[in-house]
């Protein structure tokens, strides 16, 4: 393995087991590595400190291990077996009312750059680093070894998640099997999953528990599900006895998926309507008296420098909802931007409530579910935060 030497004193974060090495910390290369190659990291005094994937960019090394070990199929089997064990502990494996869960959550499972979501007997694998792309076949073999006959298909979906500049010519496709069975079951509700063209791995697995909570607030309410994508929250609201449910997304494809999912779960149910419209415009123009609103927008900030504008965006969006929601209404509001902290988000929503002059109580503080674990040494892994609010 090629060796990389850090600048003096730049081993601090690695000593605290943080899994990233930034380009500014790197002193010298013994030999230039290829993108995606496994390298060994040494301190300036030539002591081994970590093994990881090399990539050109601001994060240059993603640490796979703090030991000197080979990154081969046995390594991935070990990591995947632990990840699987964690999901067994949580109770998401072999659960008849739920065949959908996240098996690997990047740094949270000590596999930076890798995401694997399970939909029944299909695993959808996504590489966010060149190293994981290079290792994809080995990972697929390790996955089959660990899950045995619980996985029959492995779909690789990394066309849009890998750095464009690395020019890897990657295509989405099956690494194993090829079933077109595409129904995810979440808490007994059914969803079409579009592996080929859908967002993320085809479904937002991370809102499972928050959707469940919403079900308990839905009885006799007029529900507005903003940024609905495949309609997740809408079906929980319908099952929970909502009076009417309106789903809004600016993407026509998302609305088509939502309608297909209505047909799967509540065929011809007159309570549901879907609108392909911009959320901000919809909130400005709406006249229906909604008393349960969900705001689950895409990440407004993908990088630190976009933070200020993102916070303004959250304030503007939430203010519109506060201005329109009925008295005694419930607002489920989320941010999935990694760079927006819990406190940042709460301040943005607080500002919105003040500007709309509404009296607001926090009922629940929500976060990502346990199958999206956070590595304690990598606080950046905490990305999803939400508030459930009572608006007087
Ligand atoms: N709540 C969804 C996930 C939301 S993902 C779930 O539970 O699965 C964010 C969605 O916001 C995407 O589907 C995207 O198409 C949509 N979107 C992005 N910008 C929008 C806008 N300005 N108005 C309405 N929808 C928007």
């Amino acid at each position: 393995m090629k060796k990389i030497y850090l600048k003096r004193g730049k081993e601090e974060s690695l000593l605290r087991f943080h899994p990233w090495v930034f380009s500014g910390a790197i002193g010298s290369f013994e030999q230039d590595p290829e993108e995606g190659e496994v390298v060994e990291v040494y301190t300036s005094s030539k002591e081994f400190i970590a093994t990881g994937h090399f990539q050109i960019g601001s994060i240059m090394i993603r640490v796979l291990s703090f030991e000197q070990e080979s990154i081969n199929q046995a390594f991935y089997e070990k990591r995947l077996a632990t990840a699987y064990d964690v999901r067994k502990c949580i109770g998401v494996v072999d659960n008849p009312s739920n065949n959908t869960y996240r098996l690997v959550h990047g740094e949270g499972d000590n596999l930076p750059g890798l995401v694997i979501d399970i939909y029944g007997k299909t695993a959808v694998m996504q590489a966010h680093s060149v190293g994981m792309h290079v290792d994809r076949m080995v990972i697929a073999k390790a996955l089959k070894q660990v899950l045995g006959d619980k996985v029959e298909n492995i779909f690789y979906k990394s066309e849009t998640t890998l750095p464009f500049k690395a020019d890897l010519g990657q295509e989405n496709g099956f690494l194993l099997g090829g079933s077109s069975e595409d129904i995810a079951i979440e808490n007994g509700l059914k969803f079409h999953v579009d592996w080929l063209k859908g967002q993320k791995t085809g479904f937002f697995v991370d809102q499972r528990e928050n959707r469940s909570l919403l079900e308990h607030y839905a009885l006799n309410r007029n529900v507005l599900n903003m940024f609905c994508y495949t309609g997740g929250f809408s079906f929980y609201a319908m099952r929970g006895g909502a009076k009417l449910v309106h789903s809004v997304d600016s993407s026509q494809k998302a609305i088509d998926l939502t309608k297909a999912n209505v047909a799967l779960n509540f065929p011809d149910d007159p309570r549901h309507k879907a609108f392909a419209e911009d959320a901000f415009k919809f909130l400005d123009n709406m006249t229906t008296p909604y008393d349960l609103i969900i705001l689950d927008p895409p990440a407004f900030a993908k990088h630190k420098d976009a933070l200020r504008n993102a916070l303004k965006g959250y304030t503007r969006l939430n203010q519109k909802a506060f201005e329109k929601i009925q008295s005694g209404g419930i607002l489920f509001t989320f941010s999935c931007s990694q760079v927006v902290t819990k406190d940042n988000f709460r301040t943005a929503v607080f500002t919105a409530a003040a500007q709309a002059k509404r009296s607001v109580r926090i009922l629940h503080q929500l976060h990502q579910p346990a199958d999206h674990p956070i590595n304690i040494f990598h606080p950046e892994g905490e990305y999803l935060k939400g508030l459930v609010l009572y608006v007087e």
Side-chain angles (χ1 to χ4, degrees):
M1 266 184 241
K2 292 178 185 161
K3 295 180 179 174
I4 290 184
Y5 297 98
L6 299 177
K7 288 183 188 153
R8 243 175 80 185
K10 290 292 183 186
E11 63 276 12
E12 275 288 298
S13 67
L14 290 177
L15 290 172
R16 278 182 273 114
F17 302 108
H18 192 282
W20 295 343
V21 178
F22 289 96
S23 54
I26 292 177
S28 63
F29 298 93
E30 187 191 53
Q31 231 188 318
D32 280 348
E34 299 278 324
E35 272 213 274
E37 200 173 325
V38 176
V39 294
E40 284 184 340
V41 186
Y42 288 78
T43 63
S44 57
S45 49
K46 309 220 169 354
E47 275 172 60
F48 170 85
I49 193 159
T51 306
H53 278 141
F54 171 78
Q55 182 165 323
I56 296 166
S58 128
I59 303 171
M60 270 209 162
I61 295 156
R62 289 170 172 80
V63 174
L64 298 162
S65 176
F66 288 94
E67 285 167 32
Q68 221 162 357
E69 61 178 319
S70 302
I71 305 302
N72 50 20
Q73 189 174 328
F75 166 82
Y76 284 112
E77 281 176 23
K78 190 175 60 177
R79 284 280 191 270
L80 292 173
T82 308
Y84 191 48
D85 192 50
V86 171
R87 276 62 185 181
K88 282 190 204 153
C89 292
I90 299 164
V92 288
V93 172
D94 292 332
N95 176 341
S97 62
N98 194 72
N99 75 356
T100 302
Y101 63 92
R102 177 155 293 191
L103 173 65
V104 173
H105 185 59
E107 285 82 357
D109 286 294
N110 295 322
L111 287 168
L114 184 68
V115 163
I116 301 178
D117 285 340
I118 303 288
Y119 300 104
K121 295 217 161 189
T122 299
V124 181
M125 192 169 125
Q126 200 159 63
H128 291 257
S129 70
V130 182
M132 289 302 181
H133 174 70
V134 171
D135 288 354
R136 66 197 180 284
M137 293 310 299
V138 181
I139 298 169
K141 281 187 201 150
L143 182 60
K144 178 69 188 157
Q145 190 62 32
V146 171
L147 292 195
D149 58 9
K150 290 200 195 302
V151 66
E152 285 171 3
N153 315 291
I154 302 177
F155 189 75
Y156 184 60
K157 185 175 191 293
S158 302
E159 238 170 39
T160 55
T161 55
L162 285 164
F164 176 67
K165 279 194 217 132
D167 196 18
L168 301 164
Q170 68 273 11
E171 282 178 9
N172 294 340
F174 282 97
L175 303 180
L176 176 77
S179 165
S180 55
E181 168 66 71
D182 69 342
I183 305 288
I185 303 171
E186 188 188 81
N187 293 318
L189 292 165
K190 294 187 187 127
F191 295 90
H192 286 288
V193 181
D194 185 359
W195 300 321
L196 267 177
K197 301 229 161 62
Q199 302 179 40
K200 300 253 188 156
T201 63
F203 184 65
F204 283 78
V205 186
D206 56 2
Q207 288 285 24
R208 182 179 55 245
E209 291 173 2
N210 301 332
R211 290 179 186 134
S212 246
L213 178 66
L214 178 101
E215 184 170 349
H216 301 286
Y217 280 97
L219 190 64
N220 291 328
R221 290 198 183 256
N222 292 337
V223 180
L224 174 62
N225 181 10
M226 259 327 169
F227 309 93
C228 67
Y229 188 37
T230 55
F233 285 99
S234 301
F235 307 116
Y236 285 77
M238 290 171 83
R239 193 165 66 181
K243 247 194 285 183
L244 65 83
V245 178
H246 291 170
S247 304
V248 178
D249 199 288
S250 57
S251 146
Q252 183 61 50
K253 264 194 58 203
I255 291 302
D256 293 344
L257 269 169
T258 299
K259 286 183 178 163
N261 289 332
V262 177
L264 262 185
N265 294 285
F266 301 94
D268 303 319
D269 193 319
R271 291 178 299 161
H272 187 267
K273 273 202 191 123
F275 304 86
E277 272 183 48
D278 174 75
F280 290 88
K281 281 197 191 129
F282 190 94
L283 285 167
D284 281 340
N285 299 331
M286 73 194 203
T287 50
T288 309
Y290 297 108
D291 53 3
L292 176 50
I293 298 181
I294 301 117
L295 300 176
D296 184 23
F300 283 171
K302 296 231 160 91
H303 303 286
K304 273 218 166 83
D305 25 348
L307 182 60
R308 252 175 67 100
N309 278 340
L311 293 178
K312 277 192 201 152
Y314 287 117
T315 298
R316 199 158 72 90
L317 178 66
N318 282 277
Q319 185 182 340
K320 286 184 191 294
F322 283 133
E323 281 165 358
K324 291 286 181 83
I325 196 166
Q326 293 298 295
S327 168
I330 302 284
L331 178 64
F332 275 62
T333 183
F334 295 95
S335 162
C336 61
S337 309
Q338 199 171 50
V339 297
V340 173
T341 64
K342 226 184 314 185
D343 288 343
N344 284 155
F345 181 59
R346 200 162 141 171
T347 306
V349 177
F350 153 100
T351 308
Q355 283 171 355
K357 299 190 171 61
R358 299 294 296 261
S359 164
V360 173
R361 294 168 172 79
I362 298 176
L363 307 183
H364 303 268
Q365 307 199 42
L366 306 180
H367 44 78
Q368 66 218 58
D371 57 343
H372 294 58
I374 302 158
N375 176 341
I376 201 160
F377 304 114
H378 178 255
E380 298 91 332
E382 185 173 1
Y383 71 102
L384 182 64
K385 51 246 140 222
L387 295 168
V388 181
L389 306 168
Y390 177 90
V391 189
E392 205 172 311

